[in-house]
Amino acid sequence: MTQKKNQEQLKNFNRRSVLNYIRKNKTATKAGLASVTGLTFMAIKKIIEELESLELVRCDEIEGGNVGRKAVSYAINENYRYTIGIHINKFVTSIAVLNLRGDVVEVSRFSMPKENQSQNAFMELVIANVREVVRRSGIAREMFLGIGVGVPGPVDTINGVVLTPPNIPVLNYLPLKEILEERFGCRVFVQKDTNVIAFGEYWCGDDKETDDLTYIDVDMGIGSGSIIDGKMNVGANNIAGEFGHITLDLNGPLCNCGNRGCLEAMSSGIAILRDLRNELEKEPGHPLYDKRDRLEIEDVLEMVEKKDLLIISLLNQSAFYLGVAVSNLINVLDPRRIVLGGMLIQKYPRYFGIVQDVANSYKVKGAKKTQMSISYLKPKMRAFTHRFEIPQSRTMEAKVIR
């Protein structure tokens, strides 16, 4: 019995390896798969036939020249099934229908309330938007595999409960998995948003060779997610990647998490708005002076385009603090690649260069420069990359979205 179970586990592992390689590289041939996996050509041929019978892969094109047998390349059958992705942040909740290639088929968004809102009211809004986006997609409900949710951490990923995200109190101890599974009757996975984005970078980014990367999100808050040996690193207590809450200054500004001197309290969009408000008290002639008590991050980004020196100095300071924190990350984890994304990276072109220079200057001397890049994923795609499971048989039915 044990031997049979081990054989089945090995078979499933080999199928996943083949499927993941095709998914990450868009297409693959049988000979190419045999080369990278170490499996025999006949073993690959059998796996491909099984995946074709499940309709998980399809023939993509026929390659080759005029001499000899032409090679057939295979791709993921993107329309085999669909998933629903939900991304919740401080400002907006986005809900999308995606195919298995990660393409957004249909999307819906609603603004997060600025005033206090009950968890019940918030969840009813989420549920209504899920139903609406499924309706607009025109896809039969039995074609959905499940729902993936990305939320600010910390998150209890096993039970699917959001814990205490400092900037979104309506999510405190919200049992998202339980509520959504009860309402829609399908599998639900809840994960910290930066972990999901990191996995999206691993799946869809430019570097197809690396199995190790760290993603850092530089937005109104700051967070990170790491992929190690091709697997998401969540940590022993589900708090890995709370990069925004490492301490830079014990006597620094108070952070929303309750501690002082956190990176988020010194470098995030929230910190920039706070520092800008303080600086404007001394600058009555500044264009934003009259708005100093109701500043929004859009005000900062607008003044960047106008080359405002006060705004640029605050952004440069933010980038410097982040670069110092990244140098510490490099010294501890030494990731093969670091990817930076988020609003501040995307909207202020110099930000990335400052972080990169400072990080490489402050890390251990003599070490090679760490590979760093700007997020590959388009903003509208970042939150909507989710795993899907290989069915054990063709008769397996997807759960129905009610």
Side-chain angles (χ1 to χ4, degrees), residues 358-372:
V358 172
N360 281 307
S361 296
Y362 277 77
K363 72 176 188 177
V364 171
K365 304 303 179 186
K368 292 182 179 179
K369 283 189 175 182
T370 301
Q371 294 184 37
M372 298 178 66

Side-chain angles (χ1 to χ4, degrees), residues 111 124 177 291 299 384 389:
S111 297
E124 289 301 323
K177 177 181 173 68
K291 200 180 179 184
D299 299 319
F384 303 123
E389 301 294 330

Side-chain angles (χ1 to χ4, degrees), residues 288-305:
L288 292 177
Y289 178 80
D290 291 337
K291 200 180 179 184
R292 63 191 183 280
D293 292 326
R294 45 189 175 85
L295 291 167
E296 297 180 351
I297 198 64
E298 288 78 12
D299 299 319
V300 172
L301 301 177
E302 182 180 337
M303 295 306 291
V304 167
E305 295 180 0

Side-chain angles (χ1 to χ4, degrees), residues 31 35 48 70 104 116 199 205 223 242 280 293 298 315 399:
S35 174
I48 289 293
K70 298 184 186 298
V104 175
N116 291 334
F199 214 86
E242 290 297 330
L280 287 174
D293 292 326
E298 288 78 12
L315 285 166
K399 296 279 189 172

Side-chain angles (χ1 to χ4, degrees), residues 22-27 56 58 60 75-83 97-105 200 203-204 377 381 384-386 388:
I22 296 173
R23 183 265 315 149
K24 191 170 186 182
N25 292 275
K26 310 304 182 188
T27 62
L56 270 169
R58 57 176 173 77
D60 184 62
I76 297 294
N77 177 13
E78 63 272 21
N79 298 319
Y80 167 74
R81 288 291 189 275
Y82 297 83
T83 62
V97 170
L98 304 99
N99 64 22
L100 294 191
R101 194 168 55 195
D103 300 324
V104 175
V105 177
W203 269 25
C204 305
L377 300 179
M381 287 290 296
F384 303 123
T385 306
H386 302 283
F388 59 94

